[in-house]
Amino acid sequence: MGEFELIRNFFAAAPCAQGGEGVALGIGDDCALLAVPPGEQLAISTDTLVAGVHFADPCDPFLLGQRSLAVAVSDLAAMGATPVAFTLALTLPTVTAEWLQAYARGLNQMAQSCGVALVGGDTTRGPLSLTMTVFGRVPGGLALTRSGAQPGDLLCVGGDLGNAAGALPLVLGQRTADASIAEPLLAHYWSPQPQLGLGQALRGKATSAMDISDGLLADCGHIALASKVGIEVEQERLPLSQSLVDFLGQADAQVAALSGGDDYVLVFTLPSVELPLLLADGWPIHVIGQVVTGQGVKLLDADGQDITPQTRGYQHFRESP
Amino acid sequence: MGEFELIRNFFAAAPCAQGGEGVALGIGDDCALLAVPPGEQLAISTDTLVAGVHFADPCDPFLLGQRSLAVAVSDLAAMGATPVAFTLALTLPTVTAEWLQAYARGLNQMAQSCGVALVGGDTTRGPLSLTMTVFGRVPGGLALTRSGAQPGDLLCVGGDLGNAAGALPLVLGQRTADASIAEPLLAHYWSPQPQLGLGQALRGKATSAMDISDGLLADCGHIALASKVGIEVEQERLPLSQSLVDFLGQADAQVAALSGGDDYVLVFTLPSVELPLLLADGWPIHVIGQVVTGQGVKLLDADGQDITPQTRGYQHFRESP
C-alpha cells in the first residue's frame, strides 16, 4: 500500500468521516451518495487555499484544519443552507504523521462544530494546497442569493468587522501585542465561526446575502452589481471590536473593517420591517447603511458626505487572490 | 478587477457554464444550487491532478481540459450515475490567455459530450493543479458500489485494457510510433470516454462496479476487499487493442492491461443470467474471470494455473500516486 493510500485510510477512519444525516454512502467507493429531502436543493461551494498565498507556510496544521473548513462552510451560511457534508482534496509535498494528525484534529473539531461529514476527496503529492467542496441543503426557492436587494432595504452585517485583517500582522509575525489583544484577533483569523444560524434565520427575510471574504466594500459591490442597485455604507456605524481599535487605532481599524478580507461575517440586505423580530430573537445584527437606486457602493461619513476611498491601498485589498 | 477575477468571469461565460437540467443556480453566487428529483440521490466524486505528477508539465492545455474532466466523470459512470454538474478549482502559476482559452475549449468539449454543467469553483495563483468535483444523480438504492460481488458472478470489463499505459511512453516522448499505432493510444490517454451509458445500463444488474484507474489487478483487489470475496482473472481473456499489441508486443501488452493505470474502463461483477440481454443490447462487455469464495485477486493462465505476479514492477504500478 502506498503512503497516499495510507493517508486516505487515515482520513476514512477520522471521526468526521463516520457519516451523518443525509449521507447515504461515505468515503471508500468511486463516489459518495447524498440524500436530499424532497423540496430541498443542494448548495455547493468550492474553495482552494494555497500555501504561501492564502496562508503562511509553514503554519500550525491544527489551526489550518479549522480555518480551511470554516472558510468553505461560511459560503453555506451565506446561502442560508444547513451543512451536510464536504470533500477534501489535499496536496502535500511530503507525508508527516504529526502534521496529518494535527491537521485532522483541527478539521474534526470544525466539522463537529458545523455538523458536516467528510464524504470523499483525494490525496496527492505536490506543493501544499487544499481544495474543500462543501454541501448543504436549503428549502427550494429560499436560498439567499446576491441578487434580490431592493432600494429601501437596510444594509446589515452579522458582527464585528476587520478582526481577521487586523490579525494578519500578528499571523505573519510582523507585529506583536499583549495576549489580551492578540488572542481574540488571532481566534477570528484561525477559527472563524461560519454564521450558520443567522443565515438560516434570514431565509425568507433577507433580500440578499453573502459572506465577507474580499472585504466589506468589495463584497457590497458584488451585491450591488448582482441586484442592480446602489449601496451606501455609513462609516460611523461599522461595528469594531475593542481589540481591533486598541491594536490599530480607530482610523486603521475602520480601514480594516472596510477593506480587509477574511471576516466571514454575513453582510445582507433586509426590509426594515423584518428587523425588530430578528433583533428580539437575539441575532447579532448591525445596520450599517442602506440600499438605494443607482449602482456601485458609496461610503458616507457622519454628515452623509461621500468619502468613498479611491486610493491604491483599497484597490489592492480588493484584488484577488 | 484582479486577473484571477477576470478568469472567473471567463469561465462563467464559457458554454459549459450556461446551466443544464438539474442546475437551479450556476456560477456567480456564494454557492451553486442543484435540484435532485424525488427518489434520486446525488453522487459526488473529487479528483486532483497535479502538474508533473499526474500529467507532463508543460502539456497541451486543450487535451488537459478534456482529460481532467473525463477522469472525474468516469467515477460517475462507475456508480451508474447520470452526470449533472461539476466544479473546477484551478491553480495556476501565471495567467496566459492562450493557455486558458485552449484549456476551456477542451473542457467544454468533454462537458458537452458528458452532459455536465460547470457550476462553480475557484481560481488561485500557485503551482499548476486542478481539482474537479463532479455531481450526478442516481435512483435511490441503485448506485453501483464495490461491495456487492457474490461468488459465482462473472468478472467483466467494458473494453480494451492497457491502452493508456501503453500510450505513456509516447506522451512522455520516450518512444515514437507510426501514426496508425500512436494516434489511437494517445486518444485513449488524452480523451478517455467515461462509460456512462454502460454504467447506467448496469444499474440493478451488476453486483459491483468501479472504473479502472489504478490498474485492473489493483482495482479488482478493491472490489474483492469491499465485497469480502476472491476474484480470478484469466489472462488469456483480457481484451487488448491491436494498436497496443503492435506497439508493445503480446507479453508487455498483457502487463499493461493487468497493471497499467488510467484505463477508465468499467470493471464489474455480473450474475451470469444478466449477461445475454446486455450483450444483445450491444454493450461492449468482455468476461475476463469470475468471483469466488475467499479473498484477494488471482491471475490464472490458460490452464487455470495461478500466475499471480509478485514482482516489484507490479507493486510499483499499484502504488499511488
Side-chain angles (χ1 to χ4, degrees):
Chain A
M1 191 183 289
E3 58 185 350
F4 282 83
E5 199 162 345
L6 286 169
I7 299 175
R8 282 175 209 124
N9 292 347
F10 171 75
F11 278 107
C16 63
Q18 303 318 306
E21 202 190 325
V23 179
L25 184 68
I27 289 181
D29 219 297
D30 294 281
C31 291
L33 294 172
L34 297 187
V36 180
E40 304 217 346
Q41 294 176 327
L42 202 75
I44 296 168
S45 177
T46 293
D47 283 279
T48 297
L49 300 180
V50 179
V53 178
H54 300 96
F55 56 89
D57 185 24
C59 74
D60 182 320
F62 173 81
L63 296 173
L64 182 64
Q66 287 197 327
R67 183 167 192 269
S68 56
L69 182 56
V71 164
V73 169
S74 181
D75 282 316
L76 296 177
M79 298 297 280
T82 304
V84 173
F86 70 105
T87 63
L88 166 64
L90 181 60
T91 301
L92 290 169
T94 53
V95 176
T96 324
E98 213 174 18
W99 193 96
L100 274 174
Q101 279 160 8
Y103 179 81
R105 266 195 305 121
L107 191 72
N108 267 314
Q109 190 156 312
M110 186 56 71
Q112 195 160 21
S113 141
C114 296
V116 278
L118 178 63
V119 295
D122 200 358
T123 312
T124 53
R125 185 189 301 282
L128 179 59
S129 80
L130 308 116
T131 296
M132 296 273 187
T133 304
V134 293
F135 309 98
R137 56 190 172 78
V138 62
L142 286 186
L144 306 170
T145 67
R146 301 177 180 181
S147 57
Q150 297 288 331
D153 287 348
L154 302 172
L155 178 71
C156 307
V157 293
D160 293 337
L161 304 174
N163 285 331
L168 207 56
L170 298 168
V171 171
L172 298 175
Q174 296 164 342
R175 285 188 62 182
T176 56
D178 284 350
S180 64
I181 288 176
E183 280 174 7
L185 295 178
L186 286 168
H188 271 277
Y189 182 87
W190 281 117
S191 185
Q193 300 298 315
Q195 297 196 291
L196 293 162
L198 177 59
Q200 291 161 35
L202 293 176
R203 293 196 302 229
K205 298 186 175 67
T207 51
S208 74
M210 63 183 297
D211 65 326
I212 302 176
S213 56
D214 293 346
L216 176 68
L217 290 182
D219 288 327
C220 284
H222 295 310
I223 291 179
L225 189 67
S227 297
K228 299 188 178 68
V229 295
I231 288 181
E232 292 178 348
V233 177
E234 299 176 41
Q235 184 166 254
E236 296 300 308
R237 302 179 81 170
L238 300 176
L240 305 172
S241 73
Q242 194 57 51
S243 307
L244 187 69
V245 174
D246 288 348
F247 186 49
L248 295 184
Q250 180 75 17
D252 281 357
Q254 281 180 335
V255 172
L258 290 165
S259 304
D262 291 333
D263 276 323
Y264 303 109
V265 163
L266 297 190
V267 56
F268 50 97
T269 57
L270 197 66
S272 55
V273 64
E274 304 285 0
L275 185 63
L277 199 57
L278 285 164
L279 288 176
D281 283 347
W283 294 112
I285 297 178
H286 305 261
V287 178
I288 61 163
Q290 49 276 326
V291 181
V292 295
T293 55
Q295 60 182 10
V297 180
K298 272 190 192 157
L299 181 65
L300 305 182
D301 69 10
D303 300 323
Q305 295 297 306
D306 184 349
I307 52 167
T308 312
Q310 304 296 342
T311 62
R312 179 74 197 147
Y314 281 82
Q315 285 299 330
H316 171 74
F317 269 121
R318 279 184 243 175
E319 294 224 344
S320 58
Chain B
M1 191 184 287
E3 57 185 351
F4 282 83
E5 198 164 343
L6 284 170
I7 299 176
R8 280 174 211 123
N9 291 348
F10 171 75
F11 277 107
C16 63
Q18 303 317 307
E21 202 189 323
V23 178
L25 183 68
I27 289 181
D29 218 299
D30 294 282
C31 291
L33 294 172
L34 297 186
V36 181
E40 303 217 345
Q41 294 177 328
L42 203 75
I44 296 168
S45 177
T46 293
D47 283 281
T48 297
L49 301 180
V50 179
V53 178
H54 300 95
F55 57 90
D57 186 22
C59 74
D60 182 319
F62 173 80
L63 296 173
L64 182 64
Q66 287 197 326
R67 184 167 190 269
S68 56
L69 181 57
V71 164
V73 168
S74 181
D75 282 316
L76 296 177
M79 299 297 279
T82 303
V84 174
F86 70 105
T87 62
L88 165 65
L90 181 60
T91 301
L92 290 169
T94 52
V95 176
T96 325
E98 211 173 20
W99 193 97
L100 275 174
Q101 279 159 8
Y103 179 81
R105 267 194 305 121
L107 191 74
N108 267 313
Q109 190 156 312
M110 187 56 71
Q112 194 161 22
S113 142
C114 295
V116 278
L118 178 62
V119 296
D122 201 358
T123 312
T124 52
R125 186 189 299 282
L128 180 59
S129 80
L130 306 116
T131 296
M132 296 273 187
T133 304
V134 293
F135 308 98
R137 54 192 174 77
V138 63
L142 286 186
L144 306 170
T145 68
R146 302 177 179 181
S147 58
Q150 296 290 329
D153 287 346
L154 302 172
L155 179 70
C156 308
V157 291
D160 293 337
L161 303 174
N163 286 330
L168 207 55
L170 299 169
V171 171
L172 298 176
Q174 295 165 343
R175 283 187 63 183
T176 56
D178 285 349
S180 64
I181 289 175
E183 279 175 7
L185 295 178
L186 287 169
H188 272 277
Y189 182 87
W190 281 118
S191 185
Q193 299 298 315
Q195 297 198 291
L196 293 161
L198 176 58
Q200 291 162 34
L202 292 175
R203 292 196 303 229
K205 297 184 175 67
T207 52
S208 73
M210 63 182 298
D211 64 327
I212 302 176
S213 56
D214 292 347
L216 176 69
L217 291 181
D219 288 327
C220 283
H222 295 309
I223 290 179
L225 189 68
S227 297
K228 300 188 176 70
V229 295
I231 288 181
E232 293 177 349
V233 177
E234 299 177 41
Q235 183 166 255
E236 297 299 309
R237 301 180 83 171
L238 300 176
L240 304 173
S241 73
Q242 195 57 51
S243 307
L244 186 69
V245 175
D246 289 347
F247 186 50
L248 294 183
Q250 180 73 19
D252 281 358
Q254 281 180 336
V255 172
L258 290 165
S259 304
D262 290 334
D263 277 323
Y264 304 108
V265 163
L266 297 189
V267 56
F268 51 98
T269 59
L270 197 66
S272 55
V273 65
E274 303 286 0
L275 185 62
L277 199 58
L278 285 165
L279 288 175
D281 283 345
W283 293 111
I285 298 179
H286 306 260
V287 177
I288 62 163
Q290 48 276 325
V291 181
V292 296
T293 55
Q295 59 182 12
V297 179
K298 271 189 192 159
L299 181 66
L300 305 181
D301 70 8
D303 301 324
Q305 296 298 307
D306 185 346
I307 52 166
T308 311
Q310 304 295 340
T311 62
R312 179 73 196 145
Y314 282 84
Q315 286 298 330
H316 171 74
F317 271 121
R318 279 184 245 176
E319 294 225 342
S320 57

